[in-house]
Amino acid sequence: IVNIYWIFPYINSFAQNYTDRIAVSGGSSGAVDWSQEISKHASYSNLLRLQGLPDWYENPDHPYSHQFINNYLLIAISVLFPLLALIGLLPQKNEDKKRRVYKYCFLLVLIISIPFASGSHAPLGIVYNALLEHLPGFSIFRTPVYKFGMALWFAYACLVAIGLQRLAIFIARHYKNLPLFKANLVVFVSFLILLGIYNYPYFTGVFFNWSPRYSTMVTVPSYVFQAKDYLDENDFSTRILSIPKLDDNTGYVIHDWKYFSLSPIPEMLSRNPVIVNSVALKPNEKIMVDSMYDQIGETGWSPLIPFLGIEHILLMNDMKSSQDLNHSILPLKQAVHNSTDLTITKSLGEWDIYSPRKSTVYPLFSAPRELT
């Protein structure tokens, strides 16, 4: 009882922090809205054919998804996967009990994972939405197909393997002059060929490109790593300010070398603390950071810079604006270029590093009485 009494404040603190973080991200209703949008095409029929990925649909720029949706050959191959899994589940004479248990376990994983992978999609989407709203911690599963799809694909892999083995046994029995190992080889090679056809984007090189402008596999410019080495030499008691400002409506980070994410590169690049208006900011932090960006955009300087311990300003000229017409990165970049209070200390490719010209930079651990 004493141990529980002492640990309760820590549990309460964790719960409050969790609640605050959920609120920053839009709350449980925001998680439901996201899940409903991302699960729009995760129907049971699509999931059974190992499809339903959100990036494939309503994206006219996608380099290959329309082939999987409209090409009759690829559609036929996609139907083959549930058929092979079904063959693997069929009862077999003199089947080992342990083997049956394994099959039923895989079937159970399949049955459980499909409704969860479909997320907010009907018919059980109402249950998923209720869990997002009322079950603490469940909101981490806001993109269902990428979370629970792993279990679905694992169960399918095992059941399809059993189905292929059953198919090879059937062929060997039908052609009595054909040894079992040759039947296995025929089935294995045939399946590899079909699998290669179905996964042709791997071989054409477009698998990582979900748009002509963006990719999930990029070539990182050398100046990014040079900037890391330079910034890591900075005192750990100061911060780095990232410019341009991100779009408040989307939080998208876009670079002209096809990088597209919600994760700003400077935050991942350096061990030093970085200031940027990312989606991870708390409401009070966002007000302060937005005010600083606005002041810099108007005058090229902000009195918050020294008090927030900002020793370096990283200006990334390779960043691009999002498609939101209300957001432009050019005024802020131009203000930094023309500022008389900032001086450029390092130029690395498309990235320029500025420092305050005269102001004293306060360390992170300080308690100023007033802010002028």
Side-chain angles (χ1 to χ4, degrees):
I1 294 175
V2 172
N3 289 339
I4 293 175
Y5 174 79
W6 282 107
I7 202 173
F8 180 78
Y10 297 98
I11 297 175
N12 184 60
S13 175
F14 172 80
Q16 184 61 46
N17 183 61
Y18 170 79
T19 303
D20 293 342
R21 285 295 179 181
I22 293 298
V24 170
S25 303
S28 57
S29 61
V32 170
D33 292 340
W34 173 270
S35 177
Q36 287 176 334
E37 179 63 28
I38 214 75
S39 304
K40 189 184 299 183
H41 300 282
S43 63
Y44 287 11
S45 59
N46 278 339
L47 291 174
L48 284 171
R49 296 185 299 117
L50 302 182
Q51 296 186 4
L53 300 179
D55 297 337
W56 281 18
Y57 306 88
E58 299 178 359
N59 181 4
D61 293 334
H62 201 287
Y64 61 84
S65 64
H66 62 283
Q67 293 289 341
F68 288 92
I69 298 171
N70 302 312
N71 186 285
Y72 291 114
L73 174 61
L74 296 180
I75 292 174
I77 296 176
S78 71
V79 175
L80 180 65
F81 297 121
L83 289 178
L84 286 171
L86 180 60
I87 292 173
L89 287 169
L90 291 176
Q92 186 179 5
K93 289 183 179 180
N94 302 322
E95 188 173 26
D96 182 73
K97 181 179 179 180
K98 188 176 181 180
R99 184 183 179 89
R100 287 201 305 271
V101 171
Y102 281 132
K103 288 183 359 181
Y104 295 149
C105 287
F106 297 144
L107 177 61
L108 182 62
V109 172
L110 189 68
I111 292 174
I112 294 175
S113 62
I114 287 180
F116 279 97
S118 68
S120 300
H121 198 283
L124 296 179
I126 187 173
V127 176
Y128 196 91
N129 293 342
L131 292 173
L132 285 173
E133 289 182 316
H134 304 295
L135 183 62
F138 196 80
S139 57
I140 63 174
F141 302 117
R142 69 190 196 111
T143 308
V145 69
Y146 291 135
K147 303 292 185 179
F148 297 99
M150 303 293 181
L152 169 65
W153 302 327
F154 171 76
Y156 249 117
C158 298
L159 291 175
V160 167
I162 297 173
L164 290 173
Q165 186 183 48
R166 291 288 304 278
L167 188 60
I169 294 172
F170 174 80
I171 292 174
R173 288 177 179 174
H174 186 73
Y175 298 97
K176 295 183 179 180
N177 294 329
L178 184 66
L180 181 58
F181 81 91
K182 288 187 177 181
N184 282 324
L185 184 61
V186 170
V187 170
F188 177 71
V189 172
S190 300
F191 183 73
L192 278 185
I193 293 173
L194 288 175
L195 203 61
I197 295 173
Y198 191 73
N199 292 279
Y200 79 93
Y202 279 106
F203 304 103
T204 60
V206 299
F207 171 75
F208 298 98
N209 303 328
W210 53 276
S211 164
R213 298 182 296 274
Y214 312 121
S215 176
T216 56
M217 183 178 68
V218 298
T219 301
V220 182
S222 60
Y223 56 79
V224 174
F225 301 106
Q226 294 172 7
K228 168 183 168 51
D229 294 337
Y230 181 81
L231 294 174
D232 279 345
E233 297 175 359
N234 193 37
D235 190 344
F236 275 29
S237 66
T238 57
R239 292 188 177 96
I240 301 161
L241 174 63
S242 176
I243 292 180
K245 179 183 178 183
L246 306 181
D247 189 343
D248 287 323
N249 294 324
T250 63
Y252 291 157
V253 183
I254 306 173
H255 289 265
D256 57 17
W257 33 278
K258 293 191 174 184
Y259 181 85
F260 180 94
S261 178
L262 290 174
S263 300
I265 292 179
E267 286 187 333
M268 302 182 292
L269 191 66
S270 176
R271 295 171 294 170
N272 288 280
V274 175
I275 296 179
V276 60
N277 62 318
S278 67
V279 294
L281 288 182
K282 295 181 179 180
N284 58 333
E285 294 173 338
K286 180 170 173 48
I287 292 173
M288 184 181 299
V289 171
D290 284 344
S291 298
M292 180 170 53
Y293 277 125
D294 292 340
Q295 291 169 352
I296 295 174
E298 292 174 2
T299 66
W301 176 252
S302 169
L304 288 167
I305 290 177
F307 282 97
L308 291 180
I310 297 173
E311 188 170 359
H312 290 303
I313 296 175
L314 176 60
L315 177 60
M316 296 173 287
N317 296 299
D318 58 358
M319 276 190 66
K320 299 164 60 177
S321 294
S322 65
Q323 296 181 354
D324 185 354
L325 298 178
N326 296 321
H327 174 74
S328 175
I329 64 176
L330 294 178
L332 187 57
K333 289 173 60 177
Q334 196 63 40
V336 173
H337 280 303
N338 299 333
S339 176
T340 58
D341 295 299
L342 300 173
T343 179
I344 187 168
T345 56
K346 196 77 171 179
S347 183
L348 301 168
E350 294 293 322
W351 287 10
D352 295 324
I353 300 173
Y354 289 78
S355 298
R357 188 180 294 273
K358 295 180 180 179
S359 272
T360 300
V361 176
Y362 293 90
L364 299 186
F365 296 95
S366 59
R369 293 184 177 181
E370 61 180 356
L371 185 61
T372 58

